[in-house]
Amino acid sequence: MRNNSRLLIALQDLEIMIREMKDKSNARELEDMGFEISGLEELEKARSELAEQVSPSILNRYEKLAKRYKVAILPITGDKCLGCFVKLPTSFFSSSSADMLLTCENCGRLLYIP
């Protein structure tokens, strides 16, 4: 897996945590279960630092997809996109694609082979 894929996956994980912390009902539910909700500023700072490491064109593409979908980058499991569940062409699974960031031809999400 290429470096950009790893960075985007980490970026997506941070964004999900930030979104959950900002969601008042979700935060209240977590606090009721005994979890301490803190560290939003640190997560946002880490997100900014991580975003600086991704090439601008890929980051721009990722951010557009992240606005449209909850999950913008997904692993390929089996022969389907886990975002839209469309079967992917066999060319996705060639050895030259193994380290590439791919795009689902149906939904446009970013895909990677784990």
Side-chain angles (χ1 to χ4, degrees):
M1 187 177 359
R2 294 178 65 185
N3 193 34
N4 275 328
S5 299
R6 291 177 192 218
L7 291 171
L8 289 177
I9 294 165
L11 193 63
Q12 182 170 265
D13 289 344
L14 283 172
E15 289 176 350
I16 290 170
M17 287 190 281
I18 290 168
R19 200 176 325 142
E20 287 178 352
M21 289 182 79
K22 287 183 174 179
D23 180 357
K24 301 278 185 210
S25 64
N26 188 44
R28 191 173 320 120
E29 187 176 318
L30 290 171
E31 286 175 339
D32 289 346
M33 292 179 359
F35 292 101
E36 182 180 330
I37 306 298
S38 63
L40 180 60
E41 290 178 18
E42 288 86 0
L43 286 175
E44 290 176 333
K45 181 181 175 191
R47 191 252 179 241
S48 295
E49 291 173 359
L50 201 57
E52 291 175 4
Q53 297 177 42
V54 180
S55 72
S57 62
I58 292 175
L59 181 63
N60 185 34
R61 194 166 137 213
Y62 167 80
E63 288 179 337
K64 285 181 181 176
L65 287 167
K67 285 180 184 173
R68 185 170 181 189
Y69 303 111
K70 278 187 172 180
V71 179
I73 182 167
L74 296 159
I76 295 173
T77 303
D79 60 352
K80 294 182 179 157
C81 167
L82 291 181
C84 65
F85 302 103
V86 165
K87 186 175 180 177
L88 300 168
T90 55
S91 61
F92 270 51
F93 306 102
S94 69
S95 61
S96 62
S97 300
D99 292 334
M100 294 178 60
L101 198 54
L102 305 166
T103 301
C104 175
E105 294 175 353
N106 186 54
C107 67
R109 287 183 175 98
L110 298 169
L111 303 172
Y112 64 94
I113 298 173

